[in-house]
Every structure is written in structure tokens, then in C-alpha cells.
């Protein structure tokens, strides 16, 4: 074909295209109810690339062919489709999205339209974390709601979290919120499968949480799991594989540097026996592997709604031998038997297993994390006879002995859920009765053989077996009446709640094994300890609530709950917890009707009183006796019984009085939603162990003594930044909380003993809970290499006294925040979630172990700058040849800025088109990859700034003492539906 023919062909193509040219479709988009034009409406030609949007007057022009379908979408309005007939001008009328306007939020013992809520309630959609590693609920809500602080106790598989809603509210009692899963109250969510969650509501203030009375002072997290919705059965399969690794390592002395340090310390040995060069961080830290399989089937037909799921999640930790496995099975079923009768059940079975590793301990107590830092690299893993190697100067075995030597495991089989009946007697009158249970049977096995470790050889083997049997049930009966008369809306609820907890625990430890063939306690000839106990608690409650609304503008809510608990004395057994809140929807007022930019504006104010009885023993008021010991380990036998606790018949509830003032605002057709709250929470009658005269025969007694104040601001913003073929939304929340002990009997309490240096925390009037207490570091004396401290008189001293100790740090952040950006283009979706904390201090007690140079433990490379001769100017003191801790006291030297900004999660997903899914017989197919903790911006010198060596303690947090760090996770997943 010649050039002329090519030219003719090209001309013909352009001519054909010209004849097929699309027409200009013009039009205007208006609000269906008011007729007002809508600017910024997005318009797409269905199945094609063409798109446009309306101008400020609601007008648009878009190219399309006759027969094409135009798709109109606008925030706050339902999507509308219009067929193209010709090039005539069209008017498109769009109606507000009723679903958005009437979003339903689950609250205590019922639900409300979000627009009618007068308390402080945060909601989290389960879709926000459906592409995350689904191990624990608490980790997934971190950074997702204003006023909710999630503190990691440990990064290990199955490690717990401490959750604080608007600050710490107790000292001896608990400060974690309660969780209500489909109506069943629990404090343990580790065994809940997050893949089953539909939504969560966090009740933050007393006006919202007072319906839970005695259990609501620390907030309430209501978790609703998925239900069947579609007439057609939907089968969904979700699987992922993931990889975990420690995101940071610390530099320690190598074999030669350690030898130099020991010789400078005056310790010598035959170094020819210690010629290894073992990097213990490389030996203990590993790339962990996780995988998950989740399948569910759901649907709704013939007035039967059903959701069934089963899942298996397993995870190998980033620290050697740490692992977790969870199997779950769930059934949610409801049946409308008649027009007036409905029955249903929510049932869960969980089989949870994990293998723990010891952290928050020194190497000589079996601590693995500190072991990788303080074990000299001069030794290998095993001796020639197969036993574990030890420190050249001490019988402290290497960290592999802590991960590999002992057989150990924990298993918990748990059943929880409820059955319920709903009866509609008359129009608006409903009775609901529900019986809930939470039954768990847990056990722990441990066996250390008598051969491979020095401790095992000294004890001739150790076997421990523990069991925990916990049984909880609650019986709830509520009556709800709803009435609408003209502009008045009235809803009342009244009912009773009965709760009972029963626990049975046992433990036995034996030693002196003839070999390792039998690892159970019966193989040991010496019983060291054998205990068994049973305990019960009963709570009985009366609840009530009234909601009133007038003209969709003026809203009132009142709650009242009376609780009786067996934990408290006969004189104060009952607690009474009222709350009141009001709302004013200003945007519905006539004088506000011309403000078109504002879709919703509501003011809220609430006051309430809630109680707390968590964190103390059952029958805590009761005087007890404790048994002596006929078979002591060291010391003399003490047969008989002895007073264990003094009786206090006036012991009563902790009470938290809370005030909340809030505003809810929606702008520009709900493209921007803003919520702000100010709160003040005073917790009174704190449960404390108070010193009493020794003449009573006791040192302390549990009493109501002390007050804590929390106050602060919370802000949350959700915005639709771009809405079209490319869509970009942002959710941001930030919280400021100020915590202060306002009253404390005895004025101070010292706690938080760490690193053999005494207590690092002081509870003191006028200071926040958890305040660090110690000496002010002055520096290193160039002449002697010794540390001097700044005394109470402002002068330097080498021998400070207790009177020289002062407040040296605060673990409570100035503010916490979370930012989520969600971007989508065609079938791609990118979710980026940042989370952070600012202004909190960390007491890095790990550095006491790795920089003090008082014994034969290996140290970090920081000690290479140590003082060695007169005239040296440095901030690292000299080595200690006598083991003195004078140069490594608890002081400001170890206080570090714990602020951080972390890319908590980033997810890239792709949803296959309908053409593809139809060909393979699926209704939906998506693939995704997620990265967690990919990078962290922080000045903290330790492994990780998210640390809490004291677990769920309400008094001690922000201390790092060899805590298992958070890990970097990468997962790849597939989700498919039929």
C-alpha cells in the first residue's frame, strides 16, 4: 500500500469520526425539594471516560451519544441516572439521601438517629479496618476516634492494650472501658474476630454512658457484629498472608569492645574460651509470618436473617518462638415469628492459643528483649554438651534459653453470646428479654527440663499447670415505648439487669524430675505450690431512659440507673447514677433557613454521674483471713490462718461526675462534617489502699479516698475534598486531655519499681497520674567520672538523699491525633492512616541496663564515650568496679521525649470490574496489600515509642524496660464474594 493509499485511509477515518461525533448535552441540576440549583455535582457517562460537573449556577455541559446514561452524584444526595435522548436541555432533580440524614447509631440498650444524639458518641465503621491484620480490636481503633487513647502493652502476638477514654479516672480501680458485644458485657476482646464487626459506638461522656451505670465511668465501646441483609445469599471468602519484623535495632558492643570494657572493670577470664561473635538481635529477631482465612455466608429471606462465619488466624511473632493462633465460629440469627414476636441469637465460639515470651525483665529474670542487648557477643548459643551458654562472669544464660528451653503454651476456649426475644404488645410498645453468657476455660502449661539450663538443673526440672474457669451471665429485661404526636417525639425505656460472675482458679508447681519424659506436674517429686480458689460477684440494676424531641429542633435525654454490687459494704451497696443532656438543632430554626452553606448545626450539653467497681477484688469490703504455709520454700513454716484484709462496711462506688459541651456542624451539602467537645470529668471516692495505724494489725485498708480530674477538648473533621471519578476524603481527629490528682489521702504514693532502682512513679496531689519521680541529673564530673545530681537546694551533690527527688517527667501526652486519607480512582483505592502522640515522656529504663556499666552485662555503643581518665568531658560516667548504682539512679538522664508520628497503615486495593467478575461467576473480587508501621518519626532512642512495661496498670505507664516492640507488618490479601 503506497503513501497515497495511507493518506486516503487516514482521511476516511477522520471523516467517519466526524460523522460519529458526540452531541453536547446541556442541563441544570436542582434540589428536588427546594428547587435550588446545586453547584459541583459530578456527572459521568456510564461506561465511558467523559465526565463533567455543574458550575456555580448548577449548569453543566457534557458530550454524550444518544442512548448513553448520565450518572449524577453529589454529597448528601442519592445518585441519579438519566438517559440521553437528544441534545435538548434537561433539568435533573436530585433528592437528599435519606440514609445519610437518618444514620442510625447504636447506643446503650437501643439505637438513635445520629442527628438526635445529645451525648458524646464516636462511631467507627468496620470497613475502616477490614484490610488490616485482624488480631485485636483495640489496636484497630487506635487513632480512629477523638478522646480515645490506645496504649500498647506489648507488640507480641496476642499482647494486650490499655484503652483510655478521656484519660485515666482511677488509681486502684480499673480505667479501661467496658465492651458490649451484641449486648454481652466483657472486658476481654482478644478473642473477638474483627472481620465480624459491622460497627462500633464509643460512648464517651456520662450522658451517653450512664445507662451502664456502675460500668460506664471509663467509657463504653458497643460492638455490633454483622447481620444478614440481602435476599440473595452472599458468600464471602477473605484471606491474607503477612510478614512481621522489628522495625529498629540498637547498636551494642561487639566481642572486642565488650572484652575491653570488662578488663577496664577489672574482670578477667580466659578469653580463648570466648571467641564467638554472635549477634543476638539477629538470632532472636526474625521475620514472622501470619495468615488468615475467613469465610462467611449471610442473607435474609422469609423473615429470617442469618450471618455465619468461621475463621482461622495464625501468627509467628518477630521474636523467636512467640506465636498466636485463633479459630472462631460465629452465628447471628433472627426470626420474625409473627408480626408481634421476634427471636434471635448471637453466638460465638473461640479457640485461642499463644506461646508467650518474657519481656519487661532483665536477662537474669529471663527477659528476652533485654537479653539480646545485654548478652555478650563473645559466646555462642550452645555448649558442646548441648546446654545453653552463659555470660563469662555470671550464670546468666543467653536469650535463646528463654525462647527455646521451656515448653510452654496458653489456651483459652470461650463461648459468648446471647439469646433474645422481642414482643410488640401494642403499636410503639416493645418488650425485650435477653440472656447472655460468657464462658471461658483457659489453661497454661510450662515445663523446664532438668538438663539444658542452669536454672532447670538447679531445680531438677520445673512443671507448672494453671487453670482459669470464668463464667459470666446476664439477664436483661427492658420495656420500650415510642410515641409520635404531631411535632413531639417521645421514647421511654425501663428495665432490669442481673449480672453474675464466677471464677475458679487453680495452680500447681512441682520440681525434682527424674528426667524429661514426663512433663506434667505429676512427674515431679516435690510440690512447691498448690492453690485453688473460687470467687463470685453479683450486680443487680434498674435502668431507665427518656428521649424527647420537639419539632426536630429541641432534644432532651435523661438516664437513671441504680446498681447494687457484692463488692461493696452493706451500708453502701447501692449506687445511683443519673444523667441529663440536651440538644438544639439551630439549623432547623426558621431564622437559620437562609444559611444555605450549613446543612446541620447542633449544640449539645450534658451532665451525668457514673460509677466504677472494676479493678478491685470480689467482696472487697469483707474482712478475710489467709492461710499460712506448712511447706515453705526457705524460712520457717507458718501453719494456721492469719488476718488478710480489714473489713470496711462503708466501702462504696467510685463516682465520676462529668460535664460535656459539644457542637456538631455539617457544611456544603455535608462535604465537611465537624464535631467539637469540651469535657470535665471529676472522679471522686477513689478506691485506694490507704495507710492505717499499725495498731489495727494491718498496714493498709481499701477505702474511698482521693479525686482525679480530667478535662480537655476533642475535635473531629470529615471532609470530601474531591468527588468524581477521582475521589478524596479525609478524616482527622485530635484530642487534648489534662489529668490531675486533686486529692489523695497521705498526699503521695510511690510505685513503679524498675531496674532494681526503686520506684520511678509518684502519685501526688496536683500532678497527673503516672508522673515520673527521681533525681535531676547534673552531669559527669571530669575529675572523677562520677555523676553529680542537682539537690533540692539547687546545689550539685554526689550523694543525694530522698529529699532531693522531684518530679522529672510526665507520660501523659499533650495531645493525640489520627489522620486518614482515602483516595479512589476508578477501581483503585488507596487508604493512608497516620497516628501520633505529642508531648509525652518515656522513662527509658532499658538504658539503665545498657549504659550503667556496673556488672558483666553487655552495653550499647553509647558507653564507648565513657569517662576513662581525669579531664575527660562526657555525659557517660566511668565504669563501676564495685557494682555501685550511684551513677545510674532514676533521674532525668533516662527521661526522653516519647512523641511520635507513625504511618500506622497504608492500603492499596483494586476492585475488579463487573465484566471480570461475571466471567468467573463472582459478585465481587478485590485484592489488596497493606503495610503497618512502615515508618515512624520519633526522637526516642529505644526500640519503640509505644511502650508500657506495667501492662494494664492505671498508675504506671510510659516506662520501657525491655518491652516487646511494635512490629512492621506487610500483608497481601484477596476478598471474593458469590
Amino acid at each position: 500500500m503506497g503513501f497515497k493509499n495511507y493518506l486516503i485511509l487516514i482521511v476516511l477515518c477522520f471523516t467517519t469520526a466526524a460523522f460519529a461525533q458526540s452531541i453536547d448535552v446541556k442541563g441544570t441540576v436542582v434540589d428536588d425539594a427546594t428547587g435550588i440549583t446545586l453547584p459541583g455535582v459530578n456527572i459521568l457517562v456510564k461506561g465511558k471516560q467523559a465526565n463533567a460537573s455543574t458550575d456555580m449556577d448548577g449548569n453543566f455541559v457534557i458530550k454524550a451519544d444518544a442512548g448513553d446514561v448520565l450518572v449524577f452524584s453529589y454529597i448528601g444526595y442519592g445518585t441519579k441516572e438519566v438517559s440521553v435522548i437528544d441534545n435538548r436541555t434537561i433539568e435533573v432533580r436530585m433528592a437528599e439521601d435519606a440514609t445519610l440524614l437518618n444514620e442510625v447509631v447504636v447506643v446503650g440498650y437501643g439505637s438513635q438517629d445520629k442527628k438526635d444524639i445529645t451525648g458524646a458518641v464516636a462511631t467507627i465503621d468496620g470497613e475502616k479496618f477490614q484490610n488490616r491484620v485482624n488480631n485485636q480490636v483495640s489496636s484497630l481503633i487506635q487513632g480512629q476516634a477523638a478522646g480515645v487513647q490506645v496504649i500498647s502493652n506489648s507488640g507480641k502476638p496476642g499482647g494486650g492494650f490499655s484503652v483510655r477514654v478521656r484519660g485515666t479516672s482511677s488509681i486502684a480501680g480499673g480505667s479501661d472501658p467496658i465492651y458490649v458485644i451484641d449486648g454481652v458485657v466483657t472486658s476481654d476482646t482478644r478473642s473477638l474476630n474483627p472481620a465480624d464487626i459491622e460497627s462500633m459506638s464509643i460512648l464517651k461522656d456520662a450522658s451517653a454512658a450512664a445507662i451502664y451505670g456502675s460500668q460506664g465511668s471509663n467509657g463504653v465501646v458497643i460492638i455490633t457484629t454483622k447481620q444478614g441483609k440481602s435476599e440473595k445469599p452472599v458468600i464471602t471468602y477473605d484471606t491474607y498472608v503477612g510478614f512481621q519484623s522489628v522495625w529498629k535495632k540498637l547498636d551494642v558492643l561487639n566481642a572486642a569492645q565488650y572484652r575491653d570494657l570488662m578488663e577496664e572493670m577489672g574482670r578477667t577470664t580466659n578469653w580463648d574460651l570466648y571467641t564467638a561473635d554472635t549477634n543476638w538481635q539477629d538470632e532472636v529477631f526474625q521475620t514472622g509470618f501470619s495468615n488468615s482465612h475467613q469465610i462467611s455466608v449471610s442473607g435474609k429471606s422469609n423473615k429470617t436473617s442469618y450471618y455465619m462465619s468461621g475463621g482461622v488466624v495464625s501468627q509467628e511473632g518477630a521474636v523467636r518462638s512467640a506465636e498466636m493462633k485463633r479459630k472462631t465460629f460465629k452465628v447471628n440469627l433472627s426470626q420474625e415469628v409473627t408480626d408481634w414476636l421476634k427471636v434471635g441469637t448471637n453466638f460465638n465460639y473461640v479457640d485461642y492459643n499463644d506461646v508467650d515470651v518474657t519481656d519487661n525483665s532483665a536477662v537474669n529474670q529471663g527477659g528476652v528483649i533485654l537479653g539480646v542487648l545485654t548478652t555478650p557477643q563473645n559466646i555462642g548459643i550452645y555448649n558442646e554438651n548441648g546446654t545453653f551458654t552463659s555470660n563469662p562472669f555470671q550464670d546468666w544464660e543467653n536469650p535463646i534459653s528463654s525462647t527455646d528451653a521451656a515448653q510452654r503454651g496458653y489456651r483459652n476456649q470461650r463461648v459468648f453470646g446471647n439469646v433474645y426475644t422481642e414482643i410488640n404488645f401494642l403499636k410503639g410498645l416493645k418488650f425485650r428479654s435477653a440472656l447472655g453468657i460468657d464462658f471461658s476455660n483457659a489453661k497454661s502449661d510450662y515445663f523446664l527440663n532438668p538438663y539444658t539450663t542452669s536454672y532447670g538443673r538447679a531445680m531438677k526440672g520445673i512443671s507448672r499447670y494453671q487453670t482459669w474457669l470464668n463464667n459470666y451471665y446476664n439477664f436483661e429485661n427492658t420495656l420500650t415505648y415510642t410515641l409520635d404526636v404531631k411535632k413531639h417525639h417521645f421514647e421511654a425505656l425501663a428495665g432490669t439487669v442481673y449480672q453474675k460472675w464466677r471464677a475458679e482458679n487453680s495452680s500447681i508447681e512441682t520440681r525434682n524430675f527424674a528426667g524429661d519424659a514426663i512433663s506434667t506436674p505429676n512427674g515431679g517429686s516435690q510440690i512447691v505450690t498448690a492453690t485453688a480458689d473460687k470467687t463470685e460477684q453479683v450486680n443487680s440494676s434498674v435502668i431507665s431512659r427518656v428521649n424527647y424531641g420537639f419539632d426536630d429542633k429541641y432534644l432532651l435525654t435523661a438516664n437513671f440507673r441504680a446498681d447494687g454490687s457484692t463488692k461493696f459494704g452493706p451500708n453502701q451497696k447501692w449506687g445511683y447514677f443519673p444523667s441529663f443532656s440536651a440538644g438544639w438543632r439551630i439549623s432547623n430554626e426558621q431564622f437559620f433557613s437562609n444559611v444555605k452553606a450549613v446543612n446541620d448545626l447542633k449544640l449539645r450539653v450534658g451532665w451525668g454521674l457514673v460509677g466504677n467497681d472494676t479493678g478491685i477484688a470480689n467482696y472487697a469490703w469483707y474482712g478475710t483471713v489467709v492461710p499460712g504455709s506448712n511447706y515453705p520454700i526457705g524460712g520457717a513454716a507458718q501453719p494456721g490462718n492469719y488476718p488478710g484484709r480489714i473489713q470496711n462496711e462503708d466501702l462504696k462506688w467510685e463516682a465520676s461526675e462529668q460535664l460535656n459541651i459539644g457542637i456538631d456542624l455539617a457544611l456544603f451539602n455535608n462535604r465537611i462534617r465537624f464535631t467539637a467537645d469540651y469535657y470535665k470529668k471529676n472522679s471522686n471516692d477513689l478506691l485506694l489502699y490507704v495507710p492505717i495505724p499499725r495498731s489495727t494489725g494491718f498496714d493498709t485498708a481499701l477505702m474511698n479516698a482521693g479525686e482525679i480530674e480530667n478535662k480537655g477538648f476533642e475535635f473531629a473533621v470529615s471532609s470530601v475534598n474531591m468527588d468524581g471519578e477521582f475521589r478524596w476524603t479525609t478524616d482527622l481527629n485530635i484530642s487534648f486531655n489534662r489529668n490531675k490528682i486533686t486529692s489523695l489521702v497521705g498526699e503521695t504514693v510511690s510505685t513503679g519499681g524498675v531496674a532494681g532502682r526503686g520506684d520511678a512513679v509518684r502519685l501526688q496531689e496536683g500532678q497527673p497520674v503516672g508522673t515520673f519521680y527521681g533525681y535531676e541529673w547534673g552531669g559527669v564530673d571530669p575529675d572523677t567520672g562520677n555523676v553529680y545530681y542537682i539537690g533540692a537546694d539547687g546545689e550539685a551533690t554526689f550523694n543525694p538523699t530522698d529529699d532531693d527527688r522531684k518530679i522529672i517527667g510526665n507520660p501523659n501526652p499533650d495531645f493525640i491525633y489520627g489522620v486518614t486519607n482515602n483516595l479512589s480512582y476508578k477501581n483503585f483505592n488507596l487508604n493512608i492512616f497516620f497516628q501520633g502522640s505529642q508531648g509525652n515522656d518515656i522513662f527509658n529504663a532499658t538504658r539503665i541496663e545498657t549504659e550503667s556499666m556496673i556488672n558483666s552485662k553487655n552495653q550499647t555503643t553509647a558507653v564507648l564515650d565513657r569517662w576513662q581518665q581525669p579531664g575527660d568531658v562526657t555525659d557517660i560516667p566511668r565504669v563501676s568496679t564495685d557494682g555501685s548504682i550511684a551513677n545510674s539512679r532514676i533521674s532525668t538522664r533516662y527521661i526522653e521525649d516519647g512523641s511520635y508520628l507513625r504511618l500506622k497503615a497504608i492500603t492499596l486495593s483494586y476492585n475488579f470490574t463487573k465484566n471480570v467478575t461475571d466471567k468467573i461467576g463472582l459478585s465481587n473480587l478485590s485484592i489488596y496489600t497493606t503495610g503497618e508501621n512502615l515508618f515512624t518519626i520519633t526522637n526516642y532512642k529505644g526500640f519503640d515509642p509505644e511502650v508500657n512495661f506495667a501492662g494494664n496498670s492505671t498508675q504506671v505507664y510510659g516506662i520501657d524496660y525491655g518491652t516487646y516492640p511494635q512490629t512492621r507488618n506487610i500483608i497481601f490479601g484477596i476478598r471474593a464474594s458469590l
Side-chain angles (χ1 to χ4, degrees):
M1 184 181 290
F3 175 76
K4 183 183 292 185
N5 292 331
Y6 275 117
L7 183 61
I8 293 172
L9 181 61
I10 293 172
V11 171
L12 288 174
C13 290
F14 276 106
T15 303
T16 303
F19 282 112
Q21 187 175 13
S22 300
I23 59 176
D24 285 336
V25 181
K26 301 179 181 179
T28 304
V29 182
V30 299
D31 182 287
D32 184 57
T34 64
I36 298 174
T37 57
L38 299 177
V41 176
N42 185 64
I43 307 139
L44 297 173
V45 179
K46 196 170 186 177
K48 296 184 178 180
Q49 299 295 319
N51 67 87
S53 60
T54 57
D55 61 19
M56 293 301 295
D57 297 319
N59 300 317
F60 71 91
V61 178
I62 190 170
K63 290 187 178 296
D65 297 329
D68 281 346
V69 176
L70 303 183
V71 181
F72 296 80
S73 60
Y74 195 45
I75 297 298
Y77 288 77
T79 301
K80 186 156 188 176
E81 297 185 358
V82 177
S83 296
V84 176
I85 300 175
D86 50 32
N87 62 349
R88 73 183 68 177
T89 300
I90 60 175
E91 181 182 81
V92 179
R93 305 186 73 86
M94 297 186 69
E96 291 186 326
D97 188 345
T99 302
L100 180 63
L101 293 175
N102 298 296
E103 180 183 349
V104 175
V105 175
V106 177
V107 295
Y109 302 98
S111 61
Q112 280 185 280
D113 289 346
K114 188 171 184 178
K115 64 184 179 63
D116 295 334
I117 288 178
T118 55
V121 180
T123 59
I124 304 174
D125 194 313
E127 291 184 359
K128 286 194 173 183
F129 45 73
Q130 67 177 359
N131 295 336
R132 299 279 302 278
V133 177
N134 59 356
N135 287 348
Q136 292 195 63
V137 172
S138 298
S139 66
L140 298 177
I141 67 176
Q142 187 177 29
Q144 298 289 347
V148 181
Q149 182 184 16
V150 179
I151 305 170
S152 169
N153 297 335
S154 175
K156 68 181 70 172
F161 289 83
S162 296
V163 179
R164 299 288 182 265
V165 177
R166 295 183 167 180
T168 298
S169 302
S170 185
I171 294 178
S175 279
D176 280 80
I178 62 165
Y179 298 86
V180 183
I181 304 173
D182 291 329
V184 180
V185 175
T186 183
S187 59
D188 182 7
T189 62
R190 288 189 305 169
S191 54
L192 177 66
N193 186 351
D196 290 328
I197 295 176
E198 178 75 22
S199 66
M200 290 191 288
S201 299
I202 303 176
L203 314 183
K204 298 187 289 185
D205 73 330
S207 63
I211 193 69
Y212 288 99
S214 63
Q215 299 165 309
S217 65
N218 300 315
V220 181
V221 180
I222 301 178
I223 299 174
T224 303
T225 58
K226 296 177 180 178
Q227 306 287 332
K229 299 176 181 178
S230 171
E231 290 291 334
K232 178 184 176 182
V234 177
I235 300 175
T236 301
Y237 173 68
D238 193 341
T239 183
Y240 70 73
V241 295
F243 305 90
Q244 296 82 40
S245 60
V246 175
W247 66 277
K248 181 180 181 181
K249 294 183 179 179
L250 304 182
D251 295 326
V252 298
L253 300 180
N254 60 31
Q257 293 166 337
Y258 173 77
R259 176 176 176 172
D260 291 343
L261 178 66
M262 291 299 100
E263 290 179 344
E264 186 174 331
M265 197 176 289
R267 297 172 182 259
T268 59
T269 187
N270 183 359
W271 293 105
D272 292 337
L273 300 176
Y274 304 102
T275 57
D277 192 2
T278 306
N279 188 317
W280 294 106
Q281 293 180 82
D282 290 344
E283 294 293 337
V284 172
F285 296 149
Q286 63 183 12
T287 299
F289 176 77
S290 63
N291 66 71
S292 171
H293 302 277
Q294 167 87 12
I295 188 167
S296 66
V297 56
S298 64
K300 186 175 184 180
S301 61
N302 296 325
K303 298 185 178 180
T304 301
S305 173
Y306 57 91
Y307 174 85
M308 294 180 289
S309 72
V312 178
V313 177
S314 61
Q315 180 182 351
E316 296 174 355
V319 173
R320 183 168 172 155
S321 81
E323 60 184 55
M324 182 276 290
K325 188 170 186 178
R326 184 187 65 219
K327 302 174 186 176
T328 60
F329 175 72
K330 180 171 184 61
V331 174
N332 287 346
L333 180 67
S334 66
Q335 174 68 53
E336 296 179 26
V337 181
T338 67
D339 293 340
W340 54 270
L341 177 62
K342 179 180 179 180
V343 296
T345 183
N346 302 287
F347 171 85
N348 301 265
Y349 169 75
V350 181
D351 186 357
Y352 175 89
N353 299 262
D354 70 34
V355 176
D356 192 18
V357 293
T358 302
D359 58 351
N360 304 317
S361 300
V363 63
N364 40 308
Q365 282 90 44
V368 174
I369 306 302
L370 282 173
V372 301
L373 300 176
T374 60
T375 300
Q377 297 192 358
N378 308 63
I379 60 176
I381 298 175
Y382 300 103
N383 294 309
E384 292 182 357
N385 61 2
T387 60
F388 291 98
T389 60
S390 299
N391 184 291
F393 303 99
Q394 296 281 349
D395 195 14
W396 301 332
E397 285 165 318
N398 70 68
I400 303 297
S401 70
S402 298
T403 61
D404 290 16
Q407 301 174 29
R408 62 200 190 280
Y410 170 84
R411 183 182 186 187
N412 186 0
Q413 293 175 285
R414 184 180 180 194
V415 175
F416 67 96
N418 64 3
V419 292
Y420 62 88
T421 298
E422 294 181 359
I423 302 174
N424 293 288
F425 291 109
L426 302 169
K427 182 180 178 181
L429 182 63
K430 181 175 71 175
F431 173 76
R432 189 178 195 273
S433 183
L435 176 65
I437 65 166
D438 187 352
F439 177 84
S440 68
N441 186 7
K443 66 175 184 177
S444 174
D445 269 312
Y446 176 91
F447 177 66
L448 183 64
N449 70 57
Y451 305 124
T452 55
T453 64
S454 59
Y455 187 58
R457 291 191 294 272
M459 300 295 105
K460 298 181 180 179
I462 302 171
S463 178
R464 302 187 187 109
Y465 183 74
Q466 295 174 276
T467 66
W468 301 268
L469 184 66
N470 292 282
N471 191 4
Y472 162 82
Y473 75 87
N474 69 304
F475 186 45
E476 300 173 350
N477 293 279
T478 58
L479 191 65
T480 305
Y481 180 66
T482 304
L483 178 66
D484 290 289
V485 180
K486 295 182 179 180
K487 295 182 179 181
H488 302 272
H489 173 76
F490 177 83
E491 180 181 315
L493 176 144
T496 61
V497 180
Y498 179 84
Q499 299 171 293
K500 185 174 183 178
W501 292 261
R502 181 179 175 86
E504 299 180 15
N505 309 310
S506 65
S507 175
I508 185 170
E509 177 178 331
T510 63
R511 300 177 184 174
N512 198 14
F513 284 72
D516 59 0
I518 300 176
S519 59
T520 52
N522 58 300
S525 63
Q526 179 188 9
I527 297 177
V528 178
T529 60
T531 64
D533 62 78
K534 298 179 182 180
T535 183
E536 289 185 351
Q537 178 192 345
V538 175
N539 279 18
S540 185
S541 311
V542 177
I543 63 175
S544 62
R545 176 175 60 217
V546 175
N547 292 322
Y548 172 74
F550 176 73
D551 199 19
D552 205 23
K553 291 186 289 188
Y554 311 111
L555 309 168
L556 293 172
T557 299
N559 292 279
F560 179 78
R561 177 160 174 157
D563 281 297
S565 172
T566 54
K567 287 189 175 182
F568 300 115
N571 299 335
Q572 301 285 348
K573 189 175 295 294
W574 286 86
Y576 304 97
F577 307 105
S579 75
F580 307 93
S581 59
W584 178 25
R585 297 193 71 202
I586 303 174
S587 54
N588 282 8
E589 294 286 359
Q590 183 62 36
F591 65 79
F592 212 81
S593 60
N594 293 326
V595 185
K596 304 302 180 183
V598 178
N599 304 103
D600 188 46
L601 174 60
K602 180 173 64 177
L603 293 179
R604 296 176 283 105
V605 61
W607 172 92
L609 196 67
V610 285
N612 185 23
D613 67 346
T614 61
I616 61 173
N618 296 334
Y619 297 98
W621 70 276
Y622 205 72
T624 62
V625 295
V626 294
S629 174
N630 291 313
Y631 306 100
I633 302 299
Q638 293 180 316
N641 296 322
Y642 300 87
R645 187 172 63 210
I646 193 170
Q647 188 157 306
N648 181 0
E649 296 186 357
D650 292 317
L651 191 69
K652 62 181 180 179
W653 301 84
E654 289 187 346
S656 179
E657 183 180 7
Q658 303 181 19
L659 172 69
N660 190 89
I661 302 173
I663 182 172
D664 300 323
L665 177 65
L667 300 170
F668 312 122
N669 293 302
N670 295 296
R671 289 185 73 115
I672 298 177
R673 289 187 171 191
F674 172 76
T675 297
D677 284 273
Y678 166 78
Y679 62 89
K680 185 175 182 180
K681 179 167 63 171
N682 290 313
S683 300
N684 306 307
D685 295 322
L686 298 185
L687 296 164
L688 291 174
Y689 284 93
V690 176
I692 59 176
R694 294 294 299 275
S695 59
T696 62
F698 300 89
D699 294 325
T700 62
L702 184 61
M703 301 173 63
N704 295 99
E707 298 177 7
I708 292 178
E709 176 187 88
N710 285 279
K711 60 182 179 181
F713 292 92
E714 300 168 355
F715 303 95
V717 179
S718 295
S719 64
V720 180
N721 310 312
M722 300 183 70
D723 187 41
E725 191 172 26
F726 174 75
R727 180 178 172 84
W728 171 26
T729 64
T730 300
D731 293 312
L732 179 149
N733 67 81
I734 186 169
S735 310
F736 303 82
N737 183 73
R738 295 295 177 265
N739 174 277
K740 181 172 67 175
I741 300 173
T742 54
S743 177
L744 191 65
V745 172
E747 296 186 351
T748 62
V749 175
S750 295
T751 185
V754 66
R757 301 301 194 277
D759 293 324
V761 172
R762 171 161 288 193
L763 308 179
Q764 180 176 316
E765 288 186 7
Q767 296 294 332
V769 176
T771 298
F772 299 133
Y773 189 74
Y775 298 100
E776 182 181 347
W777 169 276
V780 176
D781 179 23
D783 294 328
T784 64
N786 289 323
V787 172
Y788 61 89
Y789 301 89
I790 306 302
D793 58 0
E795 299 294 327
T797 177
F798 291 101
N799 298 296
T801 66
D802 283 345
D803 293 337
D804 294 317
R805 300 178 74 189
K806 61 186 70 174
I807 300 298
I808 60 173
N810 180 8
N812 299 279
D814 294 333
F815 60 89
I816 56 175
Y817 57 94
V819 183
T820 301
N821 282 283
N822 198 72
L823 303 97
S824 60
Y825 177 72
K826 295 185 177 179
N827 296 332
F828 288 94
N829 186 275
L830 179 65
N831 182 278
I832 307 171
F833 170 42
F834 286 93
Q835 180 267 329
S837 176
Q838 184 66 37
N840 58 295
D841 293 323
I842 295 177
F843 179 62
N844 191 346
T846 296
R847 289 176 52 204
I848 293 180
E849 289 283 321
T850 61
E851 294 181 15
S852 60
M853 299 175 292
I854 65 171
N855 51 36
S856 61
K857 295 174 182 175
N858 199 16
Q859 308 285 278
T860 60
T861 53
V863 304
L864 294 176
D865 294 328
R866 63 187 178 273
W867 184 96
Q868 292 181 289
Q869 60 185 9
D872 284 349
V873 177
T874 178
D875 61 353
I876 305 294
R878 64 175 179 85
V879 299
S880 174
T881 57
D882 59 1
S884 171
I885 64 171
N887 290 338
S888 55
R889 302 175 190 267
I890 292 173
S891 69
T892 54
R893 170 175 169 75
Y894 305 108
I895 300 296
E896 299 184 31
D897 180 10
S899 305
Y900 68 89
L901 169 62
R902 171 163 278 172
L903 178 57
K904 202 67 182 178
I906 179 170
T907 298
L908 177 64
S909 62
Y910 178 79
N911 297 310
F912 287 88
T913 62
K914 192 173 186 301
N915 291 336
V916 174
T917 56
D918 286 346
K919 290 179 181 178
I920 57 180
L922 298 175
S923 61
N924 179 66
L925 177 64
S926 63
I927 58 176
Y928 61 91
T929 180
T930 297
E932 295 184 325
N933 304 328
L934 292 187
F935 76 82
T936 303
I937 300 174
T938 183
N939 292 323
Y940 182 59
K941 297 177 182 178
F943 279 120
D944 192 76
E946 291 189 74
V947 293
N948 186 25
F949 105 111
N952 284 326
S953 171
T954 57
Q955 304 175 17
V956 180
Y957 41 95
I959 295 180
D960 183 2
Y961 187 57
T963 305
Y964 192 126
Q966 297 289 298
T967 57
R968 177 181 288 134
N969 306 321
I970 304 291
I971 68 170
F972 303 93
I974 301 174
R975 183 177 298 107
S977 297
L978 290 173

